[in-house]
Amino acid sequence: MTKLKQSHDLTISLLLLPPPFSSGYTLLRDPRHNKGLAFSEAERDAHYLRGLLPPAHASQELQEKKIMHNMRQYTVPLHRYIAMMDLQERNERLFYKLLIDNVEELLPVVYTPTVGEACQKYGSIYRRPQGLYISLKDKGKILEVLKNWPERSIQVIVVTDGERILGLGDLGCQGMGIPVGKLSLYTALGGVRPSACLPITIDVGTNNETLLNDEFYIGLRQKRATGQEYHELLEEFMTAVKQNYGEKVLTQFEDFANHNAFDLLAKYSKSHLVFNDDIQGTASVVLAGLLAALKVVGGTLADHTYLFLGAGEAGTGIADLIALETSKHTETPIDDCRKKIWLVDSKGLIVESRKESLQHFKQPWAHEHEPLKTLLEAVESIKPTVLIGTSGVGRTFTKEVVEAMASFNEKPVIFALSNPTSHSECTAEDAYTWSQGRAVFASGSPFDPVEYDGKLHVPGQSNNAYVFPGFGLGVVISGAIRVHDDMLLAASEALAEQVTDEHFAKGLIFPPFTNIRTISARIAAKVAAKAYELGLASRLPRPDDLVKYAQSCMYTPTYRSYR
């Protein structure tokens, strides 16, 4: 028997052990083991539950039906979010069963766009800790703080400092909703077990005056720490993570401001297993959408010209991955591949004459061209085939901009990616109407289907949830010790491969979320295969069938029988 098989068998045997409890009352308040009315008569007798529950028995399926019935009575999205968080805190398996079985309906509740409002009001809706809060007060003892978390076998950490939450700006300590939401999806969509996931918020203060003056704010009441003080805290955190959890814990940076996000990724990618979802995850899912869109519009990546509105983490991350994929398939130097990718920031088109004043991550995109101030001027001059919005500013793809795209493209590719919905560069209805139904459209937040000229157009959602759960699973099952760009390309290609002719017929360039666990397993397999190929995998020997192995490792939330 191989070590891999022995390890897997040990995992299965551990799952079959009875839960560690001695009191029925305690059991009903333990979200990991509580089953509510699903406890059988024998279990009620064996585990001191007799009298603590009503006499009726309700299967997990019936419980799920009741919760969904109740959820649909709420008309305010935030109320649904609170109801889901309450369920997660009292019955973990039912929470994940609900999310998996109703993913398209509930994803916007636990993730974008509702999670944005939840973060804005997190101080008011805070119930109980769902992760670790590390603040400036903890400097010098972060390792001790990590040891306060009850779980030891952590595989994935999602960490934020709350400075750039979605398109909503600095929400300080209340950004915790993002790591909590992301890790819920790591489990529901990627099958990483909940006990292996750790949400963390690093609180260095906030520059949001509204929050500083809010009596319900839960974070430090001070302006943000910067410079040496900030970086010393992050250095201590990253060192403590590796010391406490080892080399193979994946640390995902989430919603850090541009000036820190690029520096942190560059600094720690050589020494730690790190991933920035805003830079790399967004890039991977958008590249997948573009690869799929090529089957609709024709040509290769190298045949198209790209124009971005927004030159921050998302915009430059996507641009880099497009250039990398193009270079890989054409064997052209990456600098040459960048020449067909143009970026517009708040000061206009990024051009060579601006290079000296640009932040370092924008400089590779400064090409020879006359300065242009507006997006419309850039569209009319460059004539891109692909327009991508990562600006965080709503309604910036105006009627004139979309009509210009449609005037020289038979099928203009328009991706309005900013979140939440109110920050989207244009709506699905705008894109289809102003392009006479010819646009290939995707957005960051979900939009309803649009009927134009008798045809129903189903907009794609370029949602990071397509990639990061499967990517993380691939890293975990291979025991990868570093993230390589080729692993991101593998994730993009794996996702694009799962868009079928049936999907294209509906206008979709992403597969439906109803199949997300299958999608994640296939992405995980491709990512793991690449890790093995690059010599970055430590879990040996390599499984023969990585898809089956990924599926066998995925957490399933069905109730267990307790002896």
Side-chain angles (χ1 to χ4, degrees):
M1 182 182 288
T2 66
K3 289 182 181 178
L4 190 68
K5 180 71 165 58
Q6 287 174 333
S7 172
H8 185 56
D9 288 348
L10 177 61
T11 302
I12 295 298
S13 65
L14 287 173
L15 288 175
L16 296 176
L17 290 174
F21 56 78
S22 57
S23 163
Y25 191 79
T26 302
L27 172 58
L28 294 178
R29 279 149 185 79
D30 176 358
R32 191 165 303 167
H33 299 111
N34 178 32
K35 300 196 295 184
L37 291 178
F39 284 108
S40 68
E41 293 294 316
E43 288 172 331
R44 295 181 192 205
D45 284 330
H47 300 297
Y48 313 104
L49 298 173
R50 185 68 64 184
L52 298 179
L53 291 167
H57 177 272
S59 67
Q60 191 175 25
E61 289 69 28
L62 184 60
Q63 291 175 329
E64 181 180 357
K65 181 179 179 181
K66 181 182 79 171
I67 297 280
M68 284 307 298
H69 171 78
N70 292 341
M71 287 284 292
R72 289 166 183 148
Q73 307 307 306
Y74 293 117
T75 56
V76 178
L78 186 62
H79 293 167
R80 291 187 178 190
Y81 176 89
I82 293 170
M84 287 296 288
M85 293 306 102
D86 284 345
L87 177 61
Q88 187 177 22
E89 288 171 8
R90 72 175 184 271
N91 188 330
E92 187 176 86
R93 287 180 176 268
L94 185 57
F95 169 85
Y96 286 113
K97 183 83 162 59
L98 206 71
L99 188 49
I100 291 167
D101 291 348
N102 304 275
V103 62
E104 291 189 316
E105 185 173 351
L106 294 179
L107 191 61
V109 176
V110 300
Y111 191 45
T112 55
T114 309
V115 72
E117 184 184 359
C119 287
Q120 288 175 310
K121 299 173 181 176
Y122 211 75
S124 298
I125 65 174
Y126 176 82
R127 299 281 202 283
R128 55 185 284 188
Q130 292 178 290
L132 277 178
Y133 294 86
I134 296 171
S135 78
L136 290 168
K137 293 180 179 180
D138 304 313
K139 190 173 182 184
K141 48 189 175 184
I142 292 178
L143 182 59
E144 295 173 38
V145 175
L146 291 180
K147 290 181 184 297
N148 287 342
W149 189 250
E151 300 295 340
R152 293 290 173 260
S153 301
I154 299 299
Q155 295 174 324
V156 182
I157 290 170
V158 176
V159 60
T160 187
D161 71 353
E163 189 169 4
R164 192 201 60 84
I165 298 298
L166 302 175
L168 302 171
D170 186 351
L171 298 184
C173 193
Q174 297 190 168
M176 179 57 101
I178 297 295
V180 168
K182 290 275 183 176
L183 287 168
S184 294
L185 301 187
Y186 260 111
T187 297
L189 313 186
V192 179
R193 56 188 170 82
S195 60
C197 297
L198 174 55
I200 295 179
T201 289
I202 295 180
D203 185 359
V204 296
T206 179
N207 295 333
N208 186 322
E209 290 291 341
T210 302
L211 291 178
L212 290 173
N213 295 317
D214 181 353
E215 63 178 328
F216 299 132
Y217 180 56
I218 58 175
L220 291 177
R221 293 182 186 274
Q222 66 174 66
K223 293 291 187 180
R224 276 190 172 271
T226 58
Q228 184 177 349
E229 185 180 19
Y230 177 89
H231 287 288
E232 283 178 357
L233 191 73
L234 267 293
E235 175 68 23
E236 183 185 348
F237 168 71
M238 293 302 295
T239 302
V241 163
K242 186 184 281 192
Q243 188 175 342
N244 202 44
Y245 300 119
E247 188 88 4
K248 293 181 286 187
V249 61
L250 175 63
T251 301
Q252 177 171 312
F253 296 121
E254 196 70 44
D255 286 359
F256 285 75
N258 291 343
H259 56 274
N260 289 321
F262 289 101
D263 290 345
L264 291 172
L265 185 60
K267 181 176 181 180
Y268 292 109
S269 59
K270 301 290 191 295
S271 58
H272 291 67
L273 181 64
V274 294
F275 172 69
N276 185 303
D277 191 41
D278 304 300
I279 299 171
Q280 298 167 297
T282 301
S284 186
V285 73
V286 173
L287 176 58
L290 289 173
L291 292 173
L294 294 178
K295 297 175 184 176
V296 178
V297 300
T300 65
L301 281 179
D303 296 327
H304 289 269
T305 303
Y306 308 85
L307 179 63
F308 286 77
L309 178 64
E313 296 168 57
T316 56
I318 298 164
D320 265 326
L321 210 61
I322 293 171
L324 196 65
E325 179 80 348
T326 305
S327 174
K328 173 185 165 185
H329 286 283
T330 61
E331 297 184 352
T332 304
I334 194 164
D335 285 342
D336 292 342
C337 296
R338 288 189 173 115
K339 291 176 181 176
K340 296 191 76 174
I341 303 172
W342 299 82
L343 278 69
V344 172
D345 65 8
S346 60
K347 295 180 181 177
L349 188 66
I350 293 178
V351 293
E352 184 68 32
S353 60
R354 292 179 53 196
K355 193 166 188 177
E356 293 304 314
S357 63
L358 292 172
Q359 293 162 286
H360 66 90
F361 56 85
K362 295 183 183 182
Q363 290 177 356
W365 311 103
H367 307 318
E368 285 291 348
H369 197 284
E370 63 177 312
L372 298 173
K373 290 292 185 185
T374 70
L375 176 63
L376 181 58
E377 288 176 326
V379 168
E380 291 175 336
S381 176
I382 292 166
K383 292 184 168 44
T385 52
V386 178
L387 179 64
I388 298 175
T390 60
S391 64
V393 183
R395 306 298 182 265
T396 40
F397 289 176
T398 61
K399 187 171 188 284
E400 292 75 18
V401 166
V402 175
E403 286 180 343
M405 285 291 295
S407 70
F408 48 77
N409 289 303
E410 182 185 349
K411 292 180 178 178
V413 178
I414 298 173
F415 285 6
L417 302 179
S418 293
N419 289 313
T421 311
S422 59
H423 290 227
S424 184
E425 285 76 12
C426 69
T427 67
E429 186 174 9
D430 292 340
Y432 294 125
T433 302
W434 295 337
S435 67
Q436 295 85 47
R438 293 187 280 118
V440 177
F441 177 80
S443 58
S445 289
F447 283 104
D448 292 331
V450 176
E451 187 172 343
Y452 180 85
D453 198 22
K455 182 179 178 183
L456 190 68
H457 298 268
V458 183
Q461 189 187 355
S462 183
N463 192 322
N464 290 24
Y466 275 116
V467 164
F468 72 79
F471 183 87
L473 180 63
V475 168
V476 167
I477 66 171
S478 63
I481 55 170
R482 296 289 179 271
V483 169
H484 190 283
D485 284 339
D486 283 355
M487 293 159 69
L488 299 169
L489 297 180
S492 299
E493 291 165 5
L495 177 56
E497 286 168 4
Q498 295 178 75
V499 188
T500 65
D501 289 340
E502 182 184 347
H503 300 144
F504 289 128
K506 297 176 181 176
L508 289 169
I509 53 172
F510 292 98
F513 264 109
T514 47
N515 299 325
I516 188 62
R517 301 245 314 173
T518 300
I519 294 166
S520 292
R522 289 176 179 167
I523 289 173
K526 285 288 183 75
V527 169
K530 186 57 69 173
Y532 281 106
E533 181 185 322
L534 295 168
L536 295 173
S538 65
R539 196 177 299 277
L540 300 171
R542 180 189 190 275
D544 294 330
D545 189 327
L546 281 167
V547 174
K548 283 186 178 178
Y549 182 65
Q551 290 171 330
S552 74
C553 292
M554 293 174 87
Y555 165 87
T556 53
T558 50
Y559 287 152
R560 294 178 291 161
S561 294
Y562 302 148
R563 301 188 188 98

